[in-house]
Amino acid sequence: MDPYDTLGRWIDAHHREQVEFLRQIVRVPTDMPPGDNAPAAETAAALLTSLGFTVERHPVPSEFLRSYGMQSVTNLIVRERFGDGGPTIALNAHGDVVPPGDGWTKPPYDGVTENGRMYARGVAVSKSDIATYAYALAALRALASVGVPFRGCVELHFTYDEEFGGLAGPQFLLERKLTRPDFAVAASFSYAVVTAHNGCLQLEVTIHGKSGHGAMPETGRDAFRAGTAVLKAIYAEADALKATKSSVAGIDHPTMIVGLMNGGINTNVVPDRLTLKLDRRMTPEEDPAEVEAHLHGLIAQTATRFDGIRVDIKRLLLAKALHPLPGHERLVAAIQRHGYRVFGVEIPAVGVPLYSDARLYGEHGVPIVLYGAGPRTIAESNAKRPDENLQLEDLRRATHVVACTVHDLLADQLGSTEPARLK
C-alpha cells in the first residue's frame, strides 16, 4: 500500500462531506456585479474551520473597493505546515461568479444534484475547487497524522474578485507579502493542465460629438456616424487578427470584440456621445504596450476624419498573459502522472484563450499551473450559462490528483515515504 492509495481512501471516505461542503459554498450568491462577497467568505471560513483549519481573514479596504467597483471582499488564507523547511505550495480558487441570467431549469443557488451532477452558478467555475483544494489538504493532513513524513507548507488562497481581474484577490495578497509561495496551482478543469493563457486589454472609447435638432442634422456633430466608422475599423482589425497564429498549443489567434455600446439623447436628436467597450485578447507572444498603442492610434486616426469629433480612450483592464516559469514543469509532470493514474487518460499541457488571475502569481515570479475539477471544455459544464453543472465524480478524482501532486512536491524533500493506512 502506498501513500497515494492512503490519500485516495481518505478522499473517497469523505466525498459525501465534500459534496455537502460544495453545496453550502454555492448557496451563497457572489454575483459580479454587485460584488458583495464578504458574506460568502464568512461561509467558507466557517466550513474550513469545521474541517479543523485555522483561517486567516484579509479584508480589502473599502476605499479601494469603491474605485474598483465592488462592495466587499474578504480574502482567506489557510496555512498548513508539514515538518520544517520545504517549499510552500499555494492552491488558489475564486468564489466570485457572473450573475446567473435567465434560462435556468433549476434554481441557480440551491446546489441541486441529479444523476451525479450538481447544478449551480459557479459550481464549475470555480467554487468546485474551493472544495477540491480544501479536501486535498485535509487528506494530506490526515496522511501526516499517521506518521508519513513530508516537508513543506500548503496554503489555501480563496479569493473573490477574479471576474474583475484579481487586483483585490491574489494581487492584494501578493503585493502585501501576505504570502510568498514557491509554487501555485489555480482552479481549472480535470482533463488538461493549463500552463499558459491569453492576456486581455479592455478599453472604454467615448466618441464626443455635438447635439442638434433631428430636423437640422447639419447643426450637430453626429457621434454615431463617427462611431460607425470606428466600429468598422475595429472589426476589420479583428478579422485581420485571425492571421496571427500563436505557437502555444490550445491558443489559436488574438481576438477582439465590442461588448457594450450606449449613447444618444433621443430619437429626434443628433447624438452627442457614443461609448464603446471593447475586449482585445492577446496571445502570450504579443506585447501589451504595443497592442494598446496600436489601438489608440487606429481609433484616433479613424475619428479624425470627422469634423468636430473628439475621442477619449480609457483603459478598463490590462491582464497580462500567463507564461510558464521555470519550476512549473514539476507541477505538470506530477499532475500528468496522477491524472493518468486516476482518470485513465492522458492529461495534456495546454494554453487557453481565456485569462485568469493565475497570471498574477506568474507576475510575482511564482511558477503556476491551472488544474482542478471539471470536464474537458467550458461548454460541457455550461460555465457562465444557464444550468452550469459539475460531474461530482470529476470533483472526487480531481481531489485525488491534487492531493497526490502536492504530496510528491513535499515528499521530494525527503525521498521515498513509508505508506500508511488512514481510518
Side-chain angles (χ1 to χ4, degrees):
M1 186 179 301
D2 63 26
Y4 309 139
D5 286 336
T6 307
L7 288 167
R9 282 187 277 103
W10 189 94
I11 291 165
D12 292 349
H14 293 81
H15 180 57
R16 285 191 178 182
E17 294 174 23
Q18 184 185 29
V19 171
E20 186 56 32
F21 178 103
L22 177 57
R23 194 189 322 277
Q24 296 306 315
I25 293 290
V26 301
R27 283 181 169 174
V28 184
T30 49
D31 297 357
M32 300 276 277
D36 184 15
N37 294 342
E42 286 303 318
T43 295
L47 291 166
L48 291 164
T49 300
S50 72
L51 281 173
F53 293 123
T54 299
V55 183
E56 300 174 17
R57 294 166 172 82
H58 297 282
V60 179
S62 58
E63 56 269 24
F64 173 85
L65 292 175
R66 279 195 296 271
S67 62
Y68 194 48
M70 294 184 65
Q71 295 179 9
S72 69
V73 175
T74 301
N75 297 303
L76 306 179
I77 298 179
V78 169
R79 308 179 204 262
E80 194 76 17
R81 170 152 290 284
F82 302 100
D84 296 326
T88 296
I89 302 171
L91 305 175
N92 168 246
H94 69 91
D96 56 300
V97 301
V98 298
D102 298 328
W104 286 73
T105 65
K106 297 170 180 62
Y109 286 112
D110 278 10
V112 171
T113 55
E114 287 184 6
N115 301 319
R117 294 179 181 272
M118 183 180 290
Y119 293 82
R121 172 53 84 229
V123 72
V125 180
S126 74
K127 291 184 176 183
S128 56
D129 285 330
I130 296 177
T132 304
Y133 299 156
Y135 275 77
L137 180 53
L140 287 162
R141 184 184 57 189
L143 182 65
S145 74
V146 295
V148 176
F150 42 94
R151 187 166 61 202
C153 181
V154 181
E155 296 181 354
L156 305 179
H157 297 175
F158 296 148
T159 57
Y160 291 87
D161 79 319
E162 197 270 350
E163 298 293 345
F164 274 18
L167 302 186
Q171 182 81 338
F172 181 86
L173 299 178
L174 291 160
E175 274 192 343
R176 286 158 180 77
K177 295 183 170 50
L178 295 166
T179 178
R180 302 183 71 174
D182 299 291
F183 302 93
V185 179
S188 188
F189 289 168
S190 301
Y191 295 85
V193 53
V194 174
T195 60
H197 66 57
N198 275 352
C200 180
L201 172 66
Q202 294 180 349
L203 299 178
E204 180 181 83
V205 179
T206 303
I207 300 165
H208 300 274
K210 178 183 176 183
S211 63
H213 197 292
M216 297 176 289
E218 67 278 2
T219 64
R221 295 293 182 265
D222 193 330
F224 285 10
R225 185 181 290 270
T228 299
V230 170
L231 278 169
K232 186 176 179 180
I234 288 171
Y235 279 110
E237 174 83 1
D239 290 341
L241 291 175
K242 296 175 184 176
T244 303
K245 299 296 184 181
S246 174
S247 62
V248 178
I251 297 176
D252 188 1
H253 57 77
T255 62
M256 182 162 56
I257 65 165
V258 175
L260 284 172
M261 292 194 298
N262 62 74
I265 298 172
N266 203 350
T267 310
N268 60 349
V269 180
V270 176
D272 65 343
R273 178 179 297 191
L274 175 65
T275 299
L276 315 173
K277 293 186 180 182
L278 67 85
D279 180 295
R280 169 68 156 84
R281 300 302 168 107
M282 301 172 289
T283 66
E285 294 91 343
E286 292 186 285
D287 182 327
E290 291 181 2
V291 170
E292 187 167 12
H294 174 72
L295 282 175
H296 276 252
L298 174 69
I299 293 165
Q301 184 179 19
T302 303
T304 56
R305 294 173 8 213
F306 296 84
D307 185 41
I309 294 294
R310 178 173 59 86
V311 176
D312 291 327
I313 303 175
K314 174 185 176 184
R315 181 201 290 173
L316 300 176
L317 171 72
L318 176 59
K320 296 180 181 178
L322 173 65
H323 300 265
L325 293 177
H328 86 286
E329 64 278 356
R330 294 177 62 191
L331 290 165
V332 171
I335 289 170
Q336 289 181 324
R337 181 169 60 253
H338 292 296
Y340 183 79
R341 180 177 61 83
V342 173
F343 284 87
V345 296
E346 298 288 347
I347 307 296
V350 300
V352 293
L354 313 174
Y355 75 92
S356 77
D357 55 8
R359 75 190 189 281
L360 297 166
Y361 290 88
E363 289 178 21
H364 283 78
V366 181
I368 185 168
V369 300
L370 289 77
Y371 184 83
R376 288 172 177 79
T377 68
I378 285 177
E380 291 177 61
S381 69
N382 281 340
K384 301 190 178 183
R385 298 191 300 180
D387 288 346
E388 180 176 347
N389 66 87
L390 176 75
Q391 187 167 317
L392 296 172
E393 179 65 4
D394 284 346
L395 173 67
R396 183 188 69 82
R397 293 191 291 186
T399 308
H400 280 239
V401 175
V402 172
C404 293
T405 293
V406 174
H407 167 270
D408 283 2
L409 268 69
L410 301 184
D412 280 351
Q413 308 301 305
L414 299 172
S416 61
T417 59
E418 185 68 24
R421 176 183 293 274
L422 298 185
K423 297 182 179 179

